[in-house]
Amino acid sequence: MIRIALDLMGGDKAPEEIKTGAFMYAEFLKKSKINNVKIHIVGLPEHVKDFESHPLREFFVIVPTRDFLPMDIKPTEALRRKESSMYVCSQMLKEKQVDAIVSAGNTGALLACATLVVGRIKGIERPALAVPVPSLKGFTVLIDAGANAEVKPEWLVQFAEMGIEYAKLLGIPDPKVGLLNVGTEENKGTEREKQAYALLKERYGARFHGNVEGSDINLGTVDVVVTDGFSGNIAMKTMEGVAKLISTIIKQEAKKSVDGILGALLFARTLKRLKKKLDPRSYGGTFFLGVDGLVIKAHGNSDRVAIKNALEVARRGVENQLVEKLRRSLGREVND
Amino acid sequence: MIRIALDLMGGDKAPEEIKTGAFMYAEFLKKSKINNVKIHIVGLPEHVKDFESHPLREFFVIVPTRDFLPMDIKPTEALRRKESSMYVCSQMLKEKQVDAIVSAGNTGALLACATLVVGRIKGIERPALAVPVPSLKGFTVLIDAGANAEVKPEWLVQFAEMGIEYAKLLGIPDPKVGLLNVGTEENKGTEREKQAYALLKERYGARFHGNVEGSDINLGTVDVVVTDGFSGNIAMKTMEGVAKLISTIIKQEAKKSVDGILGALLFARTLKRLKKKLDPRSYGGTFFLGVDGLVIKAHGNSDRVAIKNALEVARRGVENQLVEKLRRSLGREVND
């Protein structure tokens, strides 16, 4: 049985959209005849009770909590509120009552709970958010996509390590790594990038492609782009903004002429596929790699679709034994 | 007479593409019947000589130099090589022999020459790259788009000041400012962002919209997005990558079906306009705001079209008295 805890109270649109996302996922499981999943719904009693009477009750385990964390909570404060839905989820993962947790709550709070309640894989100082973003080659793993605003050069090497293993799990046999920087030359960036460059070169040799620029992320110049969580978050969110801008311009321009209207009609399927490929909701959730348990961070403003997808990301992560594989490979790498 | 110095030797594709860009710009001037512009071509004798025999010779002033800077030059080294084309351009601007300079050379080197040879506007500690990027509202001024990889919180306030004045010059009467961050809440980001947030709030009150995210840049949530040059560069380059990815996917997907092929044909004009709107070459060049003279940085891998556009950006900047206006408004603001 795959057991996934869902933080019903985390996210800008919690609990309503989270709730509906869970119902949608249960329908998906039913329809797909997947019978080995239980979703543990963790939240305030007045919200979890909606699951009791649900027609798909069989898919849910109800876990009422007394507290929940607001979206602007500070990580230190999050660690003190042990009866919050997010903390309870983390505690359940730690105690192996569940196999994975999904939360759209505050990133810093989830990182703190994941790191300090669940714990880290040996050899990793800071867990990081790893996101496979669409690229000309298929996808590029961006790590850290927003967990650690400030990083040390050595952490960037650990991020590279996790990114490589994650890319391997996603089907790339021999992933190439690049360091996100403001130019491709060796001496670019701040002291942090210069030191990280030297460390990465020393550790990986030819596997390390050197510095890459923002444009390389979606061009797919390398398989893994390593960066601090500040730049990684800016890059991720910028992609969303550009995609939104482009789809809006296409719609507006199409309306300006008969050619455009006809073209847009005929082109509808292409544009739909494009949108799906770039829609941040289709990632659903991203893994906090480095945590000794499967923690999926869903986007803060996740709607029902994003939550449904995040739950599926969790299920696949458990099925593919992502954490076990990382633990093995990182353990091996760290001791070599 | 508007006098623009062009660094013939700066850029990944120098001198050939720079040369062709200058020829193209002269043709444009001729065709547009603009007779008050002289382009001072600064470079090695063997390259500037091509301008001597050119049919549009009247548009050029030839300035041979003995040295030029490689693309991986360090800023400190750039300041020592006083016979390089970039240094000579800067010196000419300082001595008011020209009204503007254009270079596609190393950003750090150009920043150093601009700051230390040309000098700064009173009240500005560090010049910054300001780029109007396309947004749902028209455009957003992104500053710093790549000049200063490391910044102090007070510099971010100066960037805001310059960004506001630049946005006003571009036609926005009452520009709103946002601080680029990893979330919109007040306590987000590193110590630098937290301090800058407080300083910006104190200085601008309601004009300061608070923190904005990467997605807000192209959505046009604010008119001016303030950030350090590292994050700004990552955001700019990520936009380029996404735009390239999307145009490639559209082309590929369109070929997959008859609908798609027909749609693409009818949609061609729309896609062309979109491409033009997002093409980084159409910016041509970006201003180093805060320098006490007009310095235009063209993209490192500028081709002929980008150089032609950068020269036009320079001409318009001189015509609109950008530096004079900034000097006046910053002088006023700084003393208030």
Side-chain angles (χ1 to χ4, degrees):
Chain A
M1 188 58 69
I2 293 175
R3 304 156 305 169
I4 305 165
L6 175 64
D7 174 7
L8 194 64
M9 312 304 297
D12 299 335
K13 294 168 184 167
E16 286 313 320
E17 287 292 312
I18 316 293
K19 217 181 265 184
T20 313
F23 294 153
M24 280 171 70
Y25 188 59
E27 279 158 27
F28 162 80
L29 291 173
K30 180 93 180 173
K31 212 175 131 190
S32 312
K33 299 200 168 66
I34 301 173
N35 301 314
N36 65 337
V37 178
K38 288 261 188 224
I39 311 158
H40 295 239
I41 305 292
V42 186
L44 295 189
E46 60 265 41
H47 297 298
V48 297
K49 75 170 167 31
D50 293 355
F51 289 84
E52 276 170 14
S53 51
H54 196 270
L56 295 169
R57 178 72 179 81
E58 67 205 83
F59 287 101
F60 303 115
V61 176
I62 291 166
V63 186
T65 58
R66 295 190 194 191
D67 189 17
F68 71 96
L69 304 178
M71 286 306 278
D72 60 352
I73 188 97
K74 289 193 175 161
T76 46
E77 175 70 11
L79 289 170
R80 277 196 294 269
R81 288 167 67 166
K82 301 190 176 179
E83 298 195 271
S84 76
S85 54
M86 189 191 281
Y87 197 102
V88 169
C89 283
S90 309
Q91 193 66 39
M92 286 167 73
L93 183 59
K94 171 72 183 174
E95 291 169 0
K96 309 223 182 291
Q97 294 171 31
V98 293
D99 305 295
I101 66 179
V102 171
S103 176
N106 179 288
T107 307
L110 187 60
L111 180 64
C113 287
T115 309
L116 297 169
V117 180
V118 185
R120 289 167 286 128
I121 292 178
K122 203 184 147 198
I124 299 298
E125 283 172 88
R126 290 291 178 105
L129 270 175
V131 181
V133 298
S135 85
L136 281 182
K137 307 277 172 65
F139 66 88
T140 302
V141 173
L142 181 67
I143 183 169
D144 176 9
N148 307 282
E150 281 170 291
V151 304
K152 294 179 185 171
E154 313 86 70
W155 298 0
L156 290 170
V157 180
Q158 295 167 15
F159 296 171
E161 199 69 40
M162 295 193 285
I164 289 169
E165 290 307 321
Y166 188 35
K168 282 184 188 169
L169 287 176
L170 293 173
I172 298 173
D174 185 25
K176 292 277 179 298
V177 179
L179 176 66
L180 190 61
N181 208 329
V182 293
T184 53
E185 300 88 353
E186 183 168 347
N187 64 352
K188 285 281 177 175
T190 69
E191 205 43 51
R192 180 183 68 194
E193 278 73 39
K194 287 171 196 167
Q195 286 182 29
Y197 187 103
L199 292 171
L200 287 163
K201 198 172 175 178
E202 188 194 340
R203 184 168 184 89
Y204 295 114
R207 165 164 286 176
F208 177 52
H209 178 275
N211 289 325
V212 295
E213 298 186 281
S215 49
D216 292 303
I217 304 171
N218 297 99
L219 295 179
T221 310
V222 293
D223 306 298
V224 178
V225 170
V226 173
T227 186
D228 63 284
F230 194 93
S231 308
N233 177 285
I234 300 297
M236 278 287 299
K237 297 272 176 75
T238 299
M239 286 174 212
E240 287 181 35
V242 178
K244 175 88 184 159
L245 173 69
I246 291 178
S247 66
T248 308
I249 295 177
I250 289 180
K251 270 182 224 154
Q252 287 171 347
E253 293 283 332
K255 284 181 195 156
K256 285 189 187 168
S257 68
V258 177
D259 280 13
I261 293 167
L262 278 174
L265 281 172
L266 287 164
F267 221 40
R269 215 186 313 166
T270 298
L271 294 179
K272 206 171 163 187
R273 270 193 296 240
L274 176 67
K275 203 176 165 189
K276 195 171 176 190
K277 203 157 181 176
L278 294 171
D279 188 350
R281 298 185 310 170
S282 67
Y283 317 133
T286 53
F287 293 111
F288 265 129
L289 293 188
V291 179
D292 202 8
L294 207 61
V295 178
I296 287 99
K297 167 76 180 93
H299 201 299
N301 67 11
S302 288
D303 61 8
R304 53 192 72 188
V305 177
I307 293 298
K308 170 181 164 278
N309 290 341
L311 286 164
E312 177 62 5
V313 165
R315 187 185 72 82
R316 290 200 191 159
V318 176
E319 201 166 70
N320 288 315
Q321 300 193 296
L322 178 60
V323 173
E324 292 72 12
K325 285 182 187 165
L326 271 176
R327 204 184 285 137
R328 272 203 299 276
S329 57
L330 290 172
R332 187 190 68 227
E333 295 281 344
V334 167
N335 301 329
D336 73 5
Chain B
M1 189 57 71
I2 294 174
R3 303 155 305 168
I4 305 165
L6 175 64
D7 174 7
L8 194 64
M9 312 305 295
D12 299 335
K13 294 168 184 168
E16 286 313 320
E17 287 291 310
I18 316 294
K19 217 181 267 183
T20 312
F23 294 153
M24 280 171 70
Y25 188 58
E27 278 158 26
F28 162 80
L29 290 173
K30 179 94 180 171
K31 212 175 132 190
S32 312
K33 300 202 168 62
I34 301 172
N35 301 314
N36 66 336
V37 177
K38 287 262 187 221
I39 311 158
H40 294 240
I41 304 293
V42 186
L44 295 189
E46 60 265 41
H47 297 298
V48 296
K49 75 169 166 34
D50 293 354
F51 289 83
E52 276 169 13
S53 52
H54 195 270
L56 295 170
R57 178 71 178 83
E58 65 204 85
F59 288 101
F60 303 116
V61 176
I62 292 167
V63 185
T65 58
R66 296 190 193 190
D67 189 17
F68 71 96
L69 305 177
M71 286 306 278
D72 60 351
I73 188 95
K74 289 193 176 162
T76 46
E77 174 70 9
L79 288 170
R80 277 196 292 270
R81 287 166 69 167
K82 300 190 178 181
E83 298 195 273
S84 76
S85 54
M86 189 191 281
Y87 197 102
V88 169
C89 284
S90 310
Q91 192 67 38
M92 287 167 72
L93 183 60
K94 171 72 181 171
E95 291 169 1
K96 310 227 182 287
Q97 294 170 32
V98 293
D99 306 296
I101 66 179
V102 171
S103 176
N106 180 289
T107 306
L110 187 61
L111 180 65
C113 287
T115 308
L116 297 169
V117 179
V118 184
R120 289 167 286 130
I121 292 178
K122 203 184 146 197
I124 299 300
E125 286 173 85
R126 291 291 179 105
L129 271 175
V131 181
V133 298
S135 85
L136 281 182
K137 306 278 172 66
F139 66 89
T140 302
V141 172
L142 182 67
I143 183 169
D144 177 12
N148 308 282
E150 281 170 291
V151 304
K152 294 180 186 169
E154 312 87 71
W155 299 359
L156 290 170
V157 180
Q158 295 167 15
F159 296 172
E161 198 69 40
M162 296 193 283
I164 288 169
E165 291 306 322
Y166 188 37
K168 282 184 190 171
L169 287 175
L170 293 174
I172 298 172
D174 184 25
K176 293 276 179 299
V177 179
L179 176 66
L180 190 61
N181 208 328
V182 294
T184 54
E185 300 88 354
E186 183 167 347
N187 65 353
K188 285 281 176 173
T190 69
E191 205 43 52
R192 180 183 68 193
E193 278 72 39
K194 286 171 197 166
Q195 286 182 28
Y197 188 101
L199 292 171
L200 287 164
K201 198 171 176 179
E202 190 193 340
R203 185 170 184 85
Y204 295 114
R207 165 163 286 175
F208 177 54
H209 178 275
N211 290 324
V212 296
E213 298 186 280
S215 49
D216 292 303
I217 304 171
N218 296 97
L219 294 180
T221 310
V222 292
D223 306 297
V224 178
V225 170
V226 173
T227 186
D228 63 284
F230 193 94
S231 308
N233 177 285
I234 300 298
M236 278 286 300
K237 298 272 175 73
T238 299
M239 286 174 212
E240 287 180 37
V242 177
K244 176 91 185 154
L245 173 70
I246 291 178
S247 66
T248 308
I249 294 177
I250 289 181
K251 270 183 223 153
Q252 287 171 348
E253 293 283 331
K255 284 182 195 155
K256 284 188 185 167
S257 68
V258 177
D259 282 11
I261 293 167
L262 279 175
L265 281 172
L266 287 166
F267 222 41
R269 215 185 314 166
T270 297
L271 293 179
K272 207 171 162 189
R273 271 193 296 240
L274 175 68
K275 204 176 166 189
K276 195 170 175 192
K277 203 156 181 175
L278 295 170
D279 188 351
R281 297 186 310 170
S282 67
Y283 317 134
T286 53
F287 294 111
F288 265 131
L289 293 188
V291 178
D292 201 9
L294 208 60
V295 178
I296 287 99
K297 166 77 181 92
H299 202 297
N301 67 11
S302 287
D303 60 10
R304 53 193 71 187
V305 177
I307 293 298
K308 170 182 165 276
N309 290 341
L311 287 165
E312 178 61 5
V313 165
R315 188 185 72 82
R316 290 200 191 159
V318 176
E319 201 165 69
N320 289 315
Q321 301 194 293
L322 178 60
V323 173
E324 291 72 12
K325 285 183 187 165
L326 272 176
R327 204 185 285 139
R328 271 203 300 276
S329 57
L330 290 172
R332 190 190 64 229
E333 296 280 347
V334 167
N335 300 329
D336 72 6

